[in-house]
Amino acid sequence: MGTYLDLAGPDRRWPSFLDVVDVLAGGGRERLRVAGAADLIPGVRLAAFLSYITATALAGFWAAAEVVTTSDTWGSPAFGPFATTGIVVWASWLLAAVVHVFGPALWVRGAIGLALFLTVAVVPVAALADLPRPYMFVLLPQATLGLLALAIPSHTAQHHRLIPLAIAPAAALIAVGALSGRSSWFYRFSYGAAILPETGAVLLLTAMLAAAVLSLRGDARGLWALLVLLTPVGLLALDPLTENVAPVVGAGYADYRVITGTAAAIFVLGGMTLAAALAIRARSSATASIPAISVHDRCPTCGK
């Protein structure tokens, strides 16, 4: 704190935002180190990179779907030549992938933050302007993946930066092959319910494989990344989960209350799982730090 005060200008009465973030981050790292979970932060960064790849792949898929789907027979409203206002969201994520390759680290987080903002803002804007938008079971996992992607490492190898940008066109080609000539109704409902759980399964298997490989090297960051990714994986399966939860809670279909309750349960369970893992790690670390005392040890003072 003395260093911060020495560096502060004579007219400053409150710490800057970056100073606050630095203090909180440093305190968090120290608490994790004391708890024996210092490898959680590298695990979060690994999870952020996998989340960013997933978010970019989904953006490539949905952006192509916005173009190749046609208006349905009921005259479903469209957003110009696109199916919904989601094209603005998906274009911002693809722009972030380009910035990630060619821009500095500060720009990368800014581009991800802009894409995350548009992902959230499209809901009220579309409601006020009476325009179609992607449904919540599409936007909610995208926003969660984007929020986690903000923790992406500042310094990444160039060939790693190319991965999200390379996957997006491949996902777009899949969308063109699967949805070309389909109606916007099919794009927004039927295929959305199919592609998201499959994407979640791929993300889960990738995280499990990374955890297994890194664990063989004595590196626990893969396990932490797996625990962190449980929440976005669950949200990617939100639509089929709500369909199974609705009959259990006595609802005829997955209405807004069922969707909201299921999403909240996924967040709570994901947080509780991570908190339980931290508590177990802290207890095992504390137990390991207690020196073993033998009954044959002599007192260092009296020698008895």
Side-chain angles (χ1 to χ4, degrees):
M1 292 306 300
T3 302
Y4 280 114
L5 292 174
D6 290 340
L7 294 175
D11 297 330
R12 179 171 290 279
R13 294 295 179 265
W14 292 92
S16 66
F17 174 75
L18 293 178
D19 286 343
V20 172
V21 172
D22 185 55
V23 171
L24 292 176
R29 283 193 296 267
E30 180 62 19
R31 288 182 178 274
L32 290 174
R33 185 192 66 79
V34 173
D39 44 7
L40 172 61
I41 294 178
V44 170
R45 290 172 180 162
L46 176 59
F49 185 66
L50 294 177
S51 295
Y52 187 46
I53 293 176
T54 306
T56 306
L58 287 173
F61 182 93
W62 296 127
E66 293 278 352
V67 178
V68 300
T69 52
T70 60
S71 298
D72 54 45
T73 56
W74 293 280
S76 176
F79 183 62
F82 308 106
T84 71
T85 52
I87 188 61
V88 178
V89 176
W90 315 130
S92 66
W93 282 106
L94 297 177
L95 175 62
V98 175
V99 174
H100 185 228
V101 175
F102 301 105
L106 185 61
W107 289 15
V108 174
R109 285 198 174 87
I112 295 176
L114 174 62
L116 180 60
F117 170 77
L118 292 175
T119 304
V120 177
V122 72
V123 177
V125 170
L128 291 173
D130 194 22
L131 293 171
R133 60 165 174 81
Y135 287 87
M136 288 303 298
F137 70 84
V138 174
L139 293 175
L140 185 58
Q142 186 76 17
T144 306
L145 290 168
L147 186 63
L148 189 53
L150 289 174
I152 195 169
S154 301
H155 303 286
T156 309
Q158 186 66 26
H159 61 281
H160 289 164
R161 294 188 177 193
L162 290 171
I163 294 176
L165 192 60
I167 289 180
L173 289 176
I174 294 174
V176 171
L179 299 175
S180 182
R182 297 279 189 173
S183 68
S184 61
W185 182 92
F186 185 84
Y187 148 58
R188 284 185 279 173
F189 285 93
S190 301
Y191 213 80
I195 190 64
L196 291 174
E198 293 175 356
T199 303
V202 172
L203 178 59
L204 180 61
L205 291 175
T206 303
M208 293 173 64
L209 179 61
V213 172
L214 292 173
S215 296
L216 292 176
R217 303 176 183 176
D219 191 345
R221 59 177 171 157
L223 294 173
W224 290 115
L226 177 60
L227 291 174
V228 171
L229 287 171
L230 289 179
T231 298
V233 167
L235 291 174
L236 286 168
L238 181 61
D239 185 68
L241 284 176
T242 55
E243 294 295 333
N244 290 295
V245 169
V248 176
V249 298
Y253 62 98
D255 57 12
Y256 180 80
R257 292 173 298 175
V258 175
I259 295 174
T260 303
T262 305
I266 292 172
F267 277 109
V268 171
L269 290 175
M272 290 176 61
T273 303
L274 184 59
L278 286 170
I280 293 172
R281 185 64 178 271
R283 177 171 295 184
S284 62
S285 177
T287 303
S289 64
I290 299 176
I293 300 177
S294 172
V295 295
H296 301 291
D297 289 344
R298 296 181 180 274
C299 176
T301 304
C302 64
K304 295 183 181 180

